[in-house]
Amino acid sequence: MSLRVQMRRALTEAMRARDRNAVNALRATLAAVDNVEAVPLDEVELSAVADGPVRAGTTEVARRELDDEAVAGIVRAEADERLAAAAQLSAAAQEDRAARLRAEADVLAGLL
């Protein structure tokens, strides 16, 4: 099973369990994966679609497909980002927010 499928299933389970930290971490990470898969506009050849509702510059382009290694890299980066932010918040006496970020990082680390 791919890492993306595992994240989607984990998101469904987290939503059922009302685990706010897991839901936040998984939604943000899935969005980050989606953003990386998006094709940059400068790589898209725009063409007019004669019969469509929007005519000028409308086109459909297949998204990039990431392998599990690339998705795992994004998950690691998201977890590392949360841990770094938690460290800064701990130093600034915002321990409750730092604890939430560490919990989100733990959810993501559990996927790897």
Side-chain angles (χ1 to χ4, degrees):
M1 173 182 342
S2 74
L3 185 53
R4 176 188 284 252
V5 171
Q6 287 177 321
M7 284 193 293
R8 291 207 185 279
R9 286 185 179 173
L11 176 59
T12 301
E13 291 171 15
M15 290 170 74
R16 284 188 187 132
R18 298 178 193 257
D19 183 344
R20 191 176 242 168
N21 292 326
V23 170
N24 289 341
L26 292 165
R27 278 186 176 159
T29 303
L30 284 165
V33 171
D34 287 342
N35 287 341
V36 171
E37 287 182 334
V39 177
L41 191 57
D42 61 347
E43 293 180 18
V44 175
E45 182 179 323
L46 297 178
S47 61
V49 177
D51 296 327
V54 178
R55 295 177 191 252
T58 302
T59 189
E60 290 187 26
V61 177
R63 295 178 71 82
R64 295 180 185 149
E65 289 188 32
L66 300 178
D67 60 9
D68 269 351
E69 186 177 322
V71 173
I74 295 168
V75 172
R76 271 188 223 95
E78 289 287 317
D80 291 345
E81 183 178 313
R82 282 167 173 72
L83 290 173
Q88 290 177 347
L89 290 171
S90 290
Q94 296 183 13
E95 192 55 44
D96 59 329
R97 177 78 173 120
R100 283 196 309 266
L101 288 170
R102 281 193 290 277
E104 289 180 15
D106 289 343
V107 168
L108 297 175
L111 293 168
L112 299 175

